[in-house]
Amino acid sequence: MAVLTIAVCATASTESYAQSLSNRDLRNIDELANKLIGYTEELHDEFHHHFERVRHAEKLDSDVTRLEEIAKELHAFSHDAPSAEATMKRLRADANELLQLSWQIERTVALAESWVRTSDERRGIAHMRDVSRDVVRTVFRIDDYLPVDTDVIDGQLARLENTVKVLHDEFHEHLEGYEVSRHLDEDLESLEKSVEHMHDLAHNKHWENVDLPHIVHDIHDVKDATQHIEELFVRQARIGVRTRDFVGIEHSRDAISDVLASIRLLEHMIEKANPRGHTTFHRRVHRDVHDRYRAHRVDPYHDDHRSYDPERYRYGYDSHRARYPRH
């Protein structure tokens, strides 16, 4: 598999924060923040009308509410803010969170779509999908006015590390002892170690001192591993889990949304730090990350018969398992 690897010269440094915004730029950001507030109102209206009891509703409501709060703060701040370095850092931090929330909302709307049943709900989810895409486009327009966040790598990797731990905790709370549980546990432990390793590489380091080619390589591996882990959660959900454990599937996929959004922000900032003449893109071939999974095929009998969890046999295959819808 070909992977993009980036070499960044030291000239792409913290000096980017010295860039200032004109009054016109601040007015444009203010207008875009106002647009975001309008979009969140549309999302909330559709949510409360159709989706309060749909799977992933709690996550969707939480992220839309947070997006609305930040958009309102950004509107108030950009309306009267001086174009100073402190202002730039504040705007950059808000834009980072808006980017992550917009990606999380877009993905959660897609996840919720599997659970709609009526034609009215389908129309509602289609509208939410369109609005969520408008949110992403609007946030990118705000981001265009702002420089690279040179502090993003350490902070995002710390956040990513915590989110992966939440994902692993959800597994232990709800999903031990099922057909793919041993495989999931091993892969989640490996993912935790990979993210901790990435954080160690970047901890307390300035942008120009971080080994970006190494980080980029690890980002691709972590993203592939996360997507594979989600496939295992989905497979188990389609095999079936106890009804009371189904919330574990839901919360795990919500945590995966956060993991993927953090990874996407890291990728975005690294690509944004690619001024011509300062960054060289080249491609190199490395071992496909999925090679390491081929030794352990996803086989329910394999996992079930080798499970060391005595609880697995207590509840066994019962008729009360909830299953994912098949489309």
Side-chain angles (χ1 to χ4, degrees):
M1 181 174 66
V3 169
L4 192 64
T5 306
I6 301 172
V8 178
C9 300
T11 48
S13 68
T14 53
E15 294 299 317
S16 57
Y17 267 137
Q19 173 185 324
S20 63
L21 292 172
S22 67
N23 288 333
R24 182 177 178 180
D25 291 340
L26 288 169
R27 283 197 302 272
N28 289 341
I29 290 173
D30 183 31
E31 289 173 7
L32 291 168
N34 252 334
K35 270 192 174 182
L36 282 179
I37 294 168
Y39 290 144
T40 59
E41 290 171 356
E42 288 185 60
L43 288 170
H44 262 142
D45 287 346
E46 289 289 356
F47 170 80
H48 291 301
H49 189 57
H50 294 297
F51 303 110
E52 286 184 336
R53 298 189 178 185
V54 172
R55 296 281 180 188
H56 306 284
E58 183 181 350
K59 169 71 169 167
L60 185 58
D61 190 31
S62 172
D63 283 351
V64 172
T65 299
R66 182 60 184 149
L67 183 80
E68 185 175 24
E69 289 171 357
I70 298 173
K72 287 179 176 177
E73 290 171 5
L74 184 63
H75 167 57
F77 186 73
S78 59
H79 189 69
D80 301 313
S83 54
E85 183 176 344
T87 300
M88 186 71 75
K89 288 189 177 182
R90 164 67 187 274
L91 293 172
R92 179 69 267 171
D94 284 349
N96 287 351
E97 192 160 5
L98 288 172
L99 281 166
Q100 287 187 96
L101 287 167
S102 68
W103 291 323
Q104 287 164 201
I105 290 166
E106 186 179 35
R107 183 181 134 89
T108 305
V109 168
L111 292 177
E113 189 169 2
S114 299
W115 299 95
V116 301
R117 293 292 177 266
T118 69
S119 58
D120 198 29
E121 287 176 343
R122 284 193 286 273
R123 281 193 296 271
I125 203 76
H127 182 217
M128 291 183 78
R129 186 172 59 243
D130 291 342
V131 175
S132 69
R133 290 169 181 166
D134 288 337
V135 167
V136 172
R137 284 192 287 267
T138 304
V139 173
F140 267 109
R141 288 180 64 191
I142 292 172
D143 179 75
D144 286 341
Y145 288 100
L146 302 171
V148 173
D149 185 352
T150 56
D151 301 321
V152 73
I153 293 182
D154 188 12
Q156 275 304 116
L157 287 173
R159 183 171 178 167
L160 183 59
E161 193 174 347
N162 290 334
T163 307
V164 170
K165 287 176 181 174
V166 169
L167 177 59
H168 205 171
D169 289 345
E170 282 292 338
F171 163 79
H172 284 301
E173 184 175 353
H174 293 285
L175 296 166
E176 287 186 340
Y178 286 108
E179 288 84 351
V180 298
S181 293
R182 185 171 67 87
H183 190 171
L184 259 175
D185 195 21
E186 290 171 358
D187 287 355
L188 284 164
E189 285 181 9
S190 176
L191 181 63
E192 272 196 86
K193 289 176 183 175
S194 297
V195 173
E196 287 169 4
H197 168 69
M198 288 170 67
H199 192 198
D200 288 342
L201 287 175
H203 189 51
N204 289 333
K205 289 182 180 176
H206 293 295
W207 180 276
E208 61 268 23
N209 297 323
V210 174
D211 185 354
L212 280 179
H214 192 155
I215 292 288
V216 170
H217 179 280
D218 287 352
I219 284 171
H220 281 278
D221 279 1
V222 166
K223 184 161 66 173
D224 283 346
T226 302
Q227 289 166 344
H228 175 74
I229 286 166
E230 182 169 36
E231 289 168 5
L232 293 178
F233 277 116
V234 171
R235 174 165 185 148
Q236 186 59 62
R238 286 180 174 154
I239 294 171
V241 298
R242 292 173 297 181
T243 305
R244 66 180 180 270
D245 287 339
F246 216 94
V247 69
I249 300 286
E250 181 181 344
H251 289 174
S252 296
R253 298 194 78 184
D254 289 342
I256 287 170
S257 295
D258 294 345
V259 169
L260 294 174
S262 288
I263 290 170
R264 195 166 173 183
L265 182 61
L266 286 167
E267 289 179 321
H268 172 65
M269 282 301 154
I270 291 171
E271 290 173 4
K272 192 177 173 77
N274 177 32
R276 289 185 178 178
H278 296 299
T279 306
T280 303
F281 284 86
H282 59 90
R283 304 182 72 85
R284 66 186 178 82
V285 176
H286 73 94
R287 178 183 60 84
D288 189 333
V289 69
H290 292 291
D291 284 349
R292 69 170 177 266
Y293 302 124
R294 289 176 187 157
H296 188 165
R297 187 165 60 91
V298 183
D299 181 344
Y301 294 103
H302 176 91
D303 279 305
D304 181 38
H305 294 163
R306 286 168 171 73
S307 174
Y308 297 103
D309 180 7
E311 288 287 289
R312 175 71 190 85
Y313 300 99
R314 185 171 67 79
Y315 57 77
Y317 291 90
D318 59 62
S319 59
H320 302 292
R321 285 195 181 197
R323 290 178 173 83
Y324 249 26
R326 291 182 180 273
H327 296 285

